[in-house]
Amino acid sequence: MTLNAPAGFQTYTWYDSTYSTVIATGQNPTIPTPGYNMTYNLVLTPYVGFGCKDTLTSTITVSNPSFGVIYDTICESQSYLGYTTTGTYVDTLVNTQGCDSVRTLHLYVKPKTYSTINQSICQPGSYLGYSTSGTYVDTLVNVAGCDSIRTLNLTVHPITYSVLQDTICQGQTFLGYSTTGTYVDTLVNAKGCDSVRTLHLKVHPTTYSVLNQTICAPNSYLGYSASGTYVDTLVNAKGCDSVRTLNLTVLATSTSVLNQTICEPASYLGYSSTGVYFDTLTNVLGCDSIRTLNLTVHPRTYDTVVQSICQPASFQGYSQSGTYIDTFANANGCDSIRTLQLTVFPITYDTLTQTICQPGSYLGYSSSGVYLDTFVNSKGCDSVRMLVLTVNPMTYSVINQTICEPGSFLGYAQSGTYLDTFSNANGCDSIRTLNLTVNPITYSVINQTICEPGNFLGYSQSGTYVDTLLSATGCDSVRTLNLIVHPITYSTLVDTICEPNSFLGYTQSGTYVDVLVNANGCDSVRTLNLWVKPMTYSTIVQSICQPDSFLGYSQSGTYLDTFINANGCDSIRTLQLTVHPMKFTTVIQSICDGDSFLGYSASGTYVDTLNTLLVVIVFVRFN
């Protein structure tokens, strides 16, 4: 670049803006191209006698090439800036300052789209304006604003009709109806269209009967063995419920216990030996009467008394040693033959071994043991008696038993506690306690809804299922299952969004299949066909002069603006703007009459606006 200074000076010295460096010398030196807004200071030294040393300041503005980036989208068969196919195009143009302007065009050409719809509808509906089966081709505008060729293959399904005749029992329902009549319903057939169904329904009523019956225990009647009222539901001649009420009276077996004691060799009720005898008789009600005879036969007792006395005492009328036999009535009122062996002077000993049943006593003792008693006989001599006593206790047993209705245990068929008294192996009382629990038949109803393809209790289709199981008590449990099976649902969504938005959580173009939960709580398979249109970007580098503006901006800076592009999405434009300020300079000049300076020859103040390189000269000539 060449610098120019006015002629008429002896020397020219060119400095940088701070006067610290000499750039060049001479009136018209050549220097390298400067940077932006470079300022040079020129020191002018006049010839001797032509004034003082003066300065001149020059500010040089250098404009760089400008660059621009354009993103655009067009439809197939259209053109933009002369281009018709997708690609990146770089062109070099001339900007407003006469410099190179490099323009980069990123062009996307959207093709025509084609779609085929296979659709079935129900008569008398319509789809996209068509109501008869056929193939229809239409040209529309797609979401990108271009041609979309749509082919519709339409099938129209007619309404179907059916007639049902059925018979049910009172309390049942058929297709939701429980009374005799004719019902017309509009349903959905296998094609998803109206199906008109006519139902002719007849309902047979439930029949009832009452039985009054009396039996003897432990017999049963119709499976029941305890008094009570029983209601059973049977099947009548129509195959429907027949409710039978049984009023049952069970007459219990009567029992009696006889405790009898006799003396040998007598008999009682035909028995002559000690023992327990059970006889089954007929009571006044015509039922069993069980008689228990506890018979004790006391034998003749024999007693030998060995007695020592002191002479000359006597015992039982005897006063001499010897053997004496006497017959008495014992404590039981039976014969007691006593043999007296009388010894005079020696002490006598007697040992008794005895077994009794609790709660009896013997000789004043009621517990098993060996007892020694010393007596003084009528003669005043010691008589020592040893009693070996065995007391057999009553035995007890407890039976806890659970049975299922309508069974029985030990003759009992109802829950309760029963006490019975028997004779054990020792001939003593044995008390048996029976705690009986009778578990009834249980019934349950389960209303369950599941999702296809699941199953519940082994069933996978809607319906009513009745099963007989074992309850927790091991008895019959009748379970009724009302099962509803909901099918899997399917849906397809087609949508277009702009970057960086998201739709249903997705931000990139593609086909997405998600498994959701529908209103029934079952699987809902959703297919999403998503197209994500990108954001476009452009950069403009621009220089202007103050006080001009560009795109609404009048100050140097970088500005980001967001617009809507042809796809309806964000287009971000970056503007790098340089605003060159106006330069002002004042020139004070004296000239001689007849001369001119900068085109002016008369005294006055003149204001001129110049372009680009602005040189301000302050020049004073002294004569």
Side-chain angles (χ1 to χ4, degrees):
M1 184 182 73
T2 300
L3 300 175
N4 296 306
F9 293 88
Q10 184 177 3
T11 61
Y12 300 85
T13 305
W14 299 84
Y15 293 92
D16 61 11
S17 61
T18 62
Y19 290 94
S20 61
T21 303
V22 176
I23 303 301
T25 59
Q27 179 184 356
N28 299 306
T30 299
I31 65 172
T33 301
Y36 290 112
N37 300 330
M38 182 61 72
T39 300
Y40 299 98
N41 295 306
L42 174 61
V43 176
L44 304 170
T45 303
Y47 291 97
V48 176
F50 288 90
C52 301
K53 184 183 288 188
D54 203 352
T55 60
L56 181 148
T57 301
S58 175
T59 301
I60 299 173
T61 300
V62 179
S63 297
N64 281 342
S66 60
F67 297 88
V69 180
I70 300 174
Y71 292 86
D72 213 333
T73 302
I74 62 174
C75 295
E76 184 181 349
S77 78
Q78 294 178 346
S79 68
Y80 183 76
L81 297 177
Y83 298 103
T84 59
T85 58
T86 298
T88 299
Y89 304 95
V90 180
D91 293 297
T92 302
L93 310 174
V94 177
N95 62 21
T96 57
Q97 295 180 348
C99 299
D100 286 346
S101 175
V102 180
R103 182 188 68 199
T104 302
L105 170 62
H106 298 284
L107 183 63
Y108 173 59
V109 180
K110 297 178 290 186
K112 295 179 181 178
T113 57
Y114 298 86
S115 64
T116 300
I117 300 175
N118 297 310
Q119 183 67 32
S120 296
I121 62 172
C122 299
Q123 192 180 46
S126 66
Y127 185 77
L128 297 177
Y130 300 103
S131 58
T132 57
S133 296
T135 298
Y136 304 94
V137 180
D138 293 295
T139 300
L140 311 172
V141 176
N142 60 24
V143 293
C146 299
D147 287 347
S148 175
I149 309 297
R150 183 188 68 200
T151 301
L152 170 62
N153 297 314
L154 182 63
T155 301
V156 181
H157 296 296
I159 300 172
T160 58
Y161 297 87
S162 62
V163 178
L164 297 178
Q165 293 186 342
D166 210 331
T167 300
I168 61 173
C169 297
Q170 183 180 352
Q172 296 177 341
T173 63
F174 183 75
L175 299 177
Y177 298 103
S178 57
T179 57
T180 299
T182 298
Y183 304 95
V184 178
D185 293 296
T186 300
L187 311 173
V188 177
N189 59 24
K191 301 291 186 180
C193 298
D194 287 349
S195 175
V196 179
R197 181 189 68 200
T198 301
L199 169 63
H200 300 289
L201 182 64
K202 183 176 181 181
V203 181
H204 291 301
T206 302
T207 58
Y208 297 87
S209 62
V210 178
L211 296 176
N212 297 309
Q213 183 67 33
T214 300
I215 60 173
C216 294
N219 294 326
S220 66
Y221 184 75
L222 296 177
Y224 299 103
S225 58
S227 295
T229 298
Y230 303 94
V231 179
D232 292 296
T233 301
L234 311 175
V235 178
N236 60 22
K238 298 289 187 180
C240 296
D241 287 348
S242 176
V243 179
R244 181 189 68 199
T245 301
L246 170 62
N247 297 313
L248 181 64
T249 301
V250 180
L251 301 175
T253 301
S254 60
T255 59
S256 61
V257 178
L258 296 177
N259 297 307
Q260 184 65 36
T261 302
I262 61 174
C263 296
E264 189 181 21
S267 67
Y268 184 79
L269 297 176
Y271 299 104
S272 59
S273 300
T274 297
V276 178
Y277 302 95
F278 296 93
D279 292 296
T280 301
L281 310 175
T282 300
N283 60 23
V284 294
L285 297 174
C287 296
D288 288 347
S289 175
I290 299 176
R291 182 187 66 198
T292 301
L293 172 62
N294 297 312
L295 181 63
T296 301
V297 178
H298 292 297
R300 292 189 180 96
T301 58
Y302 298 86
D303 186 22
T304 299
V305 178
V306 178
Q307 182 68 36
S308 294
I309 61 173
C310 298
Q311 284 181 338
S314 65
F315 183 74
Q316 299 289 336
Y318 299 102
S319 58
Q320 293 182 344
S321 297
T323 300
Y324 304 97
I325 299 174
D326 293 292
T327 300
F328 302 94
N330 60 20
N332 293 320
C334 298
D335 288 346
S336 175
I337 298 174
R338 184 188 69 192
T339 300
L340 172 62
Q341 297 176 355
L342 181 62
T343 301
V344 180
F345 296 122
I347 298 172
T348 60
Y349 297 88
D350 187 18
T351 300
L352 297 178
T353 301
Q354 183 66 34
T355 300
I356 63 174
C357 292
Q358 193 181 35
S361 66
Y362 184 76
L363 297 176
Y365 299 102
S366 59
S367 299
S368 295
V370 176
Y371 303 95
L372 296 177
D373 293 295
T374 301
F375 303 93
V376 175
N377 60 23
S378 60
K379 300 300 182 180
C381 297
D382 289 341
S383 175
V384 179
R385 184 189 69 197
M386 180 176 68
L387 171 62
V388 180
L389 180 64
T390 301
V391 181
N392 291 322
M394 290 191 295
T395 58
Y396 298 87
S397 63
V398 178
I399 299 175
N400 296 310
Q401 183 67 31
T402 301
I403 62 173
C404 295
E405 188 183 68
S408 66
F409 183 76
L410 297 177
Y412 299 104
Q414 290 184 323
S415 295
T417 299
Y418 303 93
L419 298 178
D420 291 294
T421 301
F422 303 92
S423 290
N424 58 23
N426 293 321
C428 298
D429 286 348
S430 174
I431 298 176
R432 181 188 70 196
T433 302
L434 170 62
N435 297 313
L436 181 63
T437 301
V438 180
N439 291 321
I441 299 172
T442 59
Y443 297 87
S444 64
V445 177
I446 300 175
N447 297 310
Q448 183 67 32
T449 300
I450 62 173
C451 297
E452 188 183 54
N455 69 77
F456 185 77
L457 299 178
Y459 299 102
S460 59
Q461 293 184 331
S462 295
T464 298
Y465 304 94
V466 180
D467 293 295
T468 300
L469 312 173
L470 287 180
S471 67
T473 61
C475 299
D476 285 349
S477 176
V478 179
R479 181 189 68 202
T480 300
L481 170 62
N482 298 313
L483 182 63
I484 298 174
V485 182
H486 291 301
I488 299 172
T489 57
Y490 298 86
S491 63
T492 300
L493 298 178
V494 179
D495 211 331
T496 301
I497 62 174
C498 295
E499 186 182 20
N501 294 330
S502 66
F503 183 74
L504 297 178
Y506 298 103
T507 59
Q508 294 182 332
S509 297
T511 298
Y512 302 94
V513 179
D514 292 294
V515 178
L516 310 174
V517 177
N518 60 24
N520 290 322
C522 298
D523 286 349
S524 175
V525 180
R526 181 189 69 202
T527 301
L528 170 62
N529 297 313
L530 182 64
W531 179 40
V532 181
K533 296 182 289 186
M535 294 168 56
T536 57
Y537 299 85
S538 63
T539 301
I540 300 174
V541 179
Q542 184 67 34
S543 295
I544 62 172
C545 295
Q546 195 177 39
D548 294 338
S549 65
F550 184 76
L551 298 176
Y553 298 102
S554 59
Q555 292 183 332
S556 296
T558 299
Y559 302 94
L560 297 178
D561 291 293
T562 302
F563 302 93
I564 303 297
N565 61 23
N567 287 326
C569 297
D570 287 349
S571 174
I572 299 178
R573 182 189 69 200
T574 302
L575 170 62
Q576 297 174 355
L577 181 62
T578 301
V579 181
H580 297 296
M582 295 172 63
K583 299 294 183 178
F584 298 89
T585 185
T586 301
V587 178
I588 302 174
Q589 182 66 35
S590 296
I591 61 174
C592 298
D593 190 19
D595 293 338
S596 67
F597 182 75
L598 298 177
Y600 299 102
S601 59
S603 295
T605 298
Y606 302 95
V607 179
D608 292 297
T609 301
L610 309 176
N611 291 322
T612 60
L613 181 60
L614 179 60
V615 178
V616 178
I617 301 173
V618 178
F619 180 69
V620 179
R621 170 176 288 179
F622 296 93
N623 293 323

